[in-house]
């Protein structure tokens, strides 16, 4: 049994020693208990399909952490969970929102786009869970901001759900910060990533429903939603483009993630997690400050160009660092 619930080092894994992988189960229990305590019973009907999907994904993650499931089975379960939330829960992308094009999607197209976005964001979050504290802290920044925004705009029931998740994730980070005593595992990364995706779509819809004179209405809601999840979105997009350019499967494992590159430069886990989250917080702040001055699509374009330049700089530094180390090693061998 020990082999199933502990993550052993080796291969692409960079930790030392056997570390428990089912920390996500503790997050799920903490979130569920907090939600049942603080959310009024009358509001639970609003979230019943979301809770069903989260339970489905949490148990899928537990099963996968104990005995590995195939990628196809996990993908099908994610599709099912997303279809339940979109089709029955009504959490759907219905338009282009703040992108400046007044288009309302047909129901079937909105359904397809919503399922694609939810499954895509869920998997992107799963992919960045590669070093201590990174994925959990990214989720905390995203959900905490939205919890405050929902509270300030009067959507108290959604704010309470977000606050329950924040508390559970914050408690987990205490044990997942470097050196980690426990990992999220698929148990946590699946349902937390799914929760983030759903709550981001909910933010877009609720913001769109606010009157124009509402103080906390976000003009560039799409760019803010992307900024709140910027590292998983950009890193996953970048990785898949690199793999396809190399004629490999976009889902093939490797060590090309930005956090993996930063590790090669000698940064520690906690330094990388702090760097990524400071960058995200700065991006959120800039997005809010420029909300009324820069069109949404311009901000998105500039943001992705900036992210590309930063990742390209890091990649070049890694190549230079590897070249320098290789030269030093050759010189040492010649001397001996």
């Amino acid at each position: 049994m020990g082999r199933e619930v502990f993550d052993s080092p080796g291969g692409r894994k960079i930790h030392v020693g056997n570390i428990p992988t089912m920390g996500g189960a503790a997050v799920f229990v903490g979130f569920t208990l907090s939600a049942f305590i603080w959310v009024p019973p009358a509001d639970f009907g609003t979230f019943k399909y979301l809770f069903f999907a989260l339970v489905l994904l949490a148990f899928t993650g537990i099963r996968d952490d104990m005995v590995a499931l195939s990628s196809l089975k996990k993908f099908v379960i994610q599709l099912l969970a997303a279809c339940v939330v979109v089709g029955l829960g009504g959490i759907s992308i219905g338009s282009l929102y703040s992108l400046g094009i007044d288009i309302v999607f047909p129901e079937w197209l909105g359904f397809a786009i919503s399922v694609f976005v939810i499954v895509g964001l869920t998997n992107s979050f799963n992919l960045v869970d590669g070093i201590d504290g990174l994925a959990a802290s990214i989720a905390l920044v995203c959900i905490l901001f939205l919890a405050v925004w929902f509270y300030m705009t009067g959507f108290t029931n959604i704010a309470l759900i977000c606050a329950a998740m924040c508390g559970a994730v914050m408690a987990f980070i205490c044990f997942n910060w470097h050196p980690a005593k426990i990992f999220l595992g698929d148990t946590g990364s699946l349902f937390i990533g799914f929760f983030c995706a759903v709550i981001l779509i909910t933010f877009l819809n609720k913001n769109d429903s606010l009157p124009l004179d509402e103080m906390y209405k976000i003009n560039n809601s799409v760019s803010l939603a992307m900024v709140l999840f910027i590292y998983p979105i950009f890193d996953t997009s970048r990785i898949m483009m690199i793999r396809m350019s190399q004629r490999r499967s976009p889902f093939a494992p490797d060590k090309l993630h930005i956090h993996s590159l930063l590790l090669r430069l000698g940064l520690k886990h906690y330094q990388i997690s702090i760097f990524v989250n400071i960058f995200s917080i700065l991006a959120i702040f800039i997005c809010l400050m420029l909300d009324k001055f820069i069109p949404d699509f311009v901000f998105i374009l500039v943001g992705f160009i900036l992210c590309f330049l930063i990742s390209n700089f890091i990649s070049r530094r890694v190549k230079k660092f590897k070249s320098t180390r290789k030269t030093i090693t050759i010189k040492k061998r010649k001397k001996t």
Side-chain angles (χ1 to χ4, degrees), residues 141-209:
V141 169
C142 173
I143 301 168
L144 181 59
F145 175 89
L146 291 175
V148 173
W149 185 87
F150 282 125
Y151 178 78
M152 298 297 287
T153 49
F155 301 109
T156 311
N157 56 345
I158 308 175
L160 288 173
I161 289 290
C162 291
M165 183 64 80
C166 281
V169 172
M170 197 178 298
F172 171 77
I173 289 177
C174 296
F175 300 94
N176 184 239
W177 202 249
H178 188 69
K181 300 177 180 66
I182 192 168
F183 292 152
L184 269 178
D186 277 356
T187 308
S189 62
L190 285 179
F191 96 86
I192 295 175
F194 187 91
F195 181 87
C196 289
V198 169
I199 215 68
L200 284 168
I201 294 175
T202 303
F203 158 71
L204 290 173
N205 288 322
K206 295 301 182 184
N207 182 77
D208 198 51
S209 69

Side-chain angles (χ1 to χ4, degrees), residues 3 38 44 50 88 90 157 160 162 174 253 279 284 290 306:
R3 291 177 62 186
W38 293 109
F44 265 104
L50 174 60
L88 300 177
N157 56 345
L160 288 173
C162 291
C174 296
F279 178 81
I284 293 168
L290 300 178
L306 180 61

Side-chain angles (χ1 to χ4, degrees), residues 8-68:
S8 301
R12 293 181 300 113
K13 298 173 183 177
I14 54 180
H15 63 275
V16 178
N18 295 328
I19 299 179
T21 61
M22 293 173 63
V27 178
F28 180 74
V29 171
F31 162 71
T32 305
L33 290 177
S34 297
F36 273 95
I37 291 171
W38 293 109
V39 177
D43 291 331
F44 265 104
T46 309
F47 304 109
K48 59 185 177 182
Y49 296 112
L50 174 60
F51 274 104
F52 171 82
L54 294 177
V55 169
L56 178 63
L57 289 170
F59 278 94
T60 299
I62 291 173
R63 171 68 168 76
D64 186 50
D65 285 333
M66 296 183 69
V67 181

